[in-house]
Amino acid sequence: MFLLREACERDEEAILGLAEHLNTLNLPPERAFIRGLLQRSMTSFAGAPDFDPRRQFLFVLEDPEGAVVGTSMVHAQHGTLDEPHVFFRVIKEERYASIPTGDGLGHRDVHMVHTMLHLGHTYNGPSELGGLVLHPGLRRHPGRLGRLLSLGRLVFVASARSWFRDRMLAELLPPLYEGPEGKTRSPLWDALGSRFTGLSYDQADRLSMRNKDFIWRLFPSLPVHASLLPEGVISIIGQVGPSSAGAERLLRSVGFEYAGRVDPFDGGPHYEAATEQITIVRDSRTCRPIAGEPDTDAPPCIVAIASHDAPHFRAVWTRARMAEAAQPGVYPELVVPPEALARLGALSGAGQATLGTGCRLLAAPRH
């Protein structure tokens, strides 16, 4: 059974190996970066109950043998005084004129709708679902590993609601292409961003992981008329690329919608939702665990344990059955297979469900 849990210091080599294998911008194969990310994440999980915009939470997916095969993140706030959240607002602007015809006998109506890109930024942005990485050999796995990596972190949000903002952001990749030497290229960046910064897409994206100030300083402050860009560039603004199509469907299914904003690097769409209205957050329930076999028709769901002490969060995808509480003020019972409770560390030697002090078990409905 696969386990989603918070990343810890011993995961450094495994995460670095995963990063070297995939070589993505979300998880660069740089030891110093990964070590810093791990330290910030461990500090974030162990933090005080007060909100801190600097918190970053890194999760790892562990296979049944204990190997790390995926990662995902949540940022407490995307857009701070040190690192603003920068974006393009996509606005449609209409123009109309009645133009005399060349023969002098009448007029013709001209109605145009132009796409305008307005550069914007905020120092007080939403929480963000960060990059998700899954080993390519495990994609389309029957265990719904992508869903556990993506949705499991939202159960954590539900368990630590005061640590997150009232809105949640997810940035999706648009259609991209591979350039010389295998470098990722963006049509929008090639036509717009590179002309104002002198940087390649790869260089700019890597720089932005540490400093986004150059965007605000070098990009045009006035609205950009997308109509002046090549036709192939206009068509990808706000579009979801093939690699993000599954993520878009999953996000929509839990309440995210296109926010009318895009990434200034590549035109990838921003999806947002009110945190309390994300179905996983809204419908997560605190339960009393019961070790047992649910009915064969019991739906699969995410079952997680959140704790004040390390380990702070663990989650699995399993069948479970919830029984409503017999009286008000009492948590409902959740019948969970013993192997799932064992994977969560919530099964005693006598085969009984057990939760440590300061722990609570949460169940998120099927999605």
Side-chain angles (χ1 to χ4, degrees), residues 1 285-304 316-325 331-342 344 346-347 351-353 361-364:
M1 181 175 288
R285 304 281 298 279
T286 299
C287 305
R288 291 183 295 149
I290 303 294
E293 292 299 330
D295 301 335
T296 55
D297 60 349
C301 65
I302 297 173
V303 178
V316 296
W317 185 268
T318 183
R319 291 185 303 110
R321 178 174 56 82
M322 185 180 295
E324 290 299 325
Y331 292 134
E333 294 180 344
L334 187 75
V335 179
V336 185
E339 60 269 24
L341 290 174
L344 291 169
L347 193 70
Q352 300 296 315
L361 180 133
L362 296 98

Side-chain angles (χ1 to χ4, degrees), residues 219-233:
F219 267 52
S221 57
L222 296 176
V224 175
H225 288 253
S227 303
L228 300 177
L229 301 174
E231 183 61 36
V233 175

Side-chain angles (χ1 to χ4, degrees), residues 48 58 68 93-94 96 125 140 210 213 259 291 296 329 342:
L58 177 64
V68 171
E93 185 175 275
E94 296 187 67
Y96 164 77
R140 302 186 183 278
R210 298 172 174 85
D213 187 59
T296 55

Side-chain angles (χ1 to χ4, degrees), residues 243-308:
S243 64
S244 296
E248 181 200 20
R249 290 192 295 270
L250 189 59
L251 289 170
R252 285 188 177 277
S253 74
V254 298
F256 283 78
E257 295 181 347
Y258 175 52
R261 294 186 293 274
V262 300
D263 187 275
F265 291 93
D266 50 36
H270 288 185
Y271 277 64
E272 280 195 18
T275 306
E276 294 290 349
Q277 294 306 312
I278 299 171
T279 57
I280 293 290
V281 177
R282 184 192 66 204
D283 299 339
S284 289
R285 304 281 298 279
T286 299
C287 305
R288 291 183 295 149
I290 303 294
E293 292 299 330
D295 301 335
T296 55
D297 60 349
C301 65
I302 297 173
V303 178
I305 289 180
S307 172
H308 297 307

Side-chain angles (χ1 to χ4, degrees), residues 47-221:
D50 299 331
F51 176 77
D52 184 344
R54 297 166 296 179
R55 280 193 174 114
Q56 295 179 352
F57 303 92
L58 177 64
F59 302 86
V60 296
L61 184 66
E62 186 181 281
D63 74 7
E65 286 71 46
V68 171
V69 296
T71 66
S72 62
M73 292 187 66
V74 184
H75 303 266
Q77 183 171 301
H78 185 60
T80 63
L81 295 178
D82 296 327
E83 190 175 342
H85 171 36
V86 184
F87 48 84
F88 273 138
R89 293 186 184 91
V90 182
I91 298 176
K92 300 295 184 181
E93 185 175 275
E94 296 187 67
R95 295 299 179 95
Y96 164 77
S98 181
I99 301 176
T101 57
D103 56 13
L105 299 179
H107 293 75
R108 65 183 180 93
D109 294 330
V110 178
H111 175 241
M112 304 293 290
V113 179
H114 298 288
T115 297
M116 310 289 291
L117 301 178
H118 293 238
L119 189 66
H121 73 292
T122 177
Y123 299 104
N124 192 27
S127 296
E128 183 194 16
L129 297 181
L132 184 154
V133 174
L134 177 63
H135 192 288
L138 292 172
R139 292 168 187 165
R140 302 186 183 278
H141 188 279
R144 298 186 173 192
L145 304 182
R147 283 176 175 257
L148 181 56
L149 267 170
S150 183
L151 302 183
R153 56 189 168 173
L154 289 172
V155 180
F156 173 73
V157 171
S159 75
R161 181 63 190 85
S162 64
W163 286 358
F164 299 95
R165 301 300 304 270
D166 290 337
R167 293 195 67 79
M168 188 73 65
L169 164 71
E171 298 185 2
L172 297 181
L173 286 175
L176 301 172
Y177 69 97
E178 187 175 298
E181 302 179 354
K183 299 290 187 180
T184 300
R185 301 286 293 271
S186 158
L188 180 62
W189 185 263
D190 290 347
L192 183 63
S194 65
R195 296 176 181 269
F196 290 99
T197 66
L199 299 171
S200 70
Y201 175 70
D202 183 70
Q203 290 171 328
D205 215 8
R206 289 187 181 278
L207 177 59
S208 72
M209 296 175 66
R210 298 172 174 85
N211 181 358
K212 291 184 171 65
D213 187 59
F214 73 98
I215 307 171
W216 191 250
R217 289 183 178 274
L218 297 178
F219 267 52
S221 57

Side-chain angles (χ1 to χ4, degrees), residues 337-360:
E339 60 269 24
L341 290 174
R343 195 75 170 102
L344 291 169
L347 193 70
S348 70
Q352 300 296 315
T354 177
L355 292 176
T357 303
C359 294
R360 65 181 178 124

